[in-house]
Amino acid sequence: MAPLHPIGIFDSGYGGLTVFKEIERFLPGYDYIYLGDNARVPYGNRSFETVHEFTWQCVRMLFDMGCPLVILACNTASAKALRTIQQRDLPGYDAQKRVLGVIRPTSEIIGQYTESRHVGIFATRGTVVSESYVIEIEKFFPDIKVHQVACPMWVPLIENNEHLNNGADYFVKKYIDELLSLSPDIDAIILACTHYPLLLDKIRDYLPNHIRVIVQGEIVAGSLQDYLQRHPEMNARLTDTGTRKFYTTDDPVDFDAKAGLFLGHSIVSGHADLG
Ligand code: DGL
């Protein structure tokens, strides 16, 4: 059998599955490998050095599994590790490989979603502290003012499957109140963590109706489709036999049970050994 050259999708845990779901819908023909670093999630409160070390290790695992292209379906990894991987690590490792993130595709289209030009960001502490959204959005839309709130409790609630229970409401309302207190003019909010779409219904319940909530999956999928059209040399290196493989650095049985919630169908994953 000819070796596969899948698109690799990486996240610190389950969150990237919300992006993978849309990528798979837009581009069903390609082979894919998803890797979740559930053994070390959450990344959100970790230092730049640690997020880079963990992310680069997982990206190399995906390269070793045959992926020429890896999508960091994680805002925290995109904010804290992507630039170093692209500029420092890849040239010395294999200059033909590519790693792409989720912050730029989201930033470059945000102008379509706001009339007031005040945009809110819900993200992990790491993404907020990196100021990546402020910097990226400024490049495309200098007239937009960005207001950020870190939501450190949301990923643990989701990873522990507590996000639909009543206890989650307290933390949903708390972070929404914090964000809206920063500006009464916000009319669009980016869920800038790939886990947060799982909280979408509760977030909508506590937000005024006129505020649009932007979920990244479709945006990232559209951007990848566009990237592959603009880079036929990469497209030619990818295999397209429609296979999907899932790996977790933690317990696969646990991963399979929860991954179903994110994807809406069951999967069988394997264990990826961090060594
Ligand atoms: N899903 C990740 C993101 O998009 C973060 C989760 C974590 O804190 O590890 O930022």
Side-chain angles (χ1 to χ4, degrees), residues 119-138:
V119 169
I121 307 279
F122 285 133
T124 65
R125 196 166 276 150
T127 301
V128 167
V129 168
S130 76
E131 299 257 297
S132 299
Y133 275 97
V134 178
I135 296 164
E136 284 298 317
I137 291 175
E138 159 84 25

Side-chain angles (χ1 to χ4, degrees), residues 11-13 15-16 40-45 73-77 102 124 127 155 159 192-195 216:
D11 181 49
S12 58
R40 301 185 294 197
V41 75
Y43 280 17
N45 292 335
C74 174
N75 288 269
T76 311
V102 291
T124 65
T127 301
V155 169
E159 289 279 328
C193 168
T194 55
H195 282 70
Q216 293 177 296

Side-chain angles (χ1 to χ4, degrees), residues 70-84:
V70 173
I71 311 298
L72 302 185
C74 174
N75 288 269
T76 311
S78 301
K80 291 188 144 183
L82 181 61
R83 185 185 300 245
T84 310

Side-chain angles (χ1 to χ4, degrees), residues 247-259:
Y247 291 93
T248 174
T249 56
D250 208 349
D251 179 6
V253 174
D254 213 26
F255 185 85
D256 297 352
K258 290 195 194 133

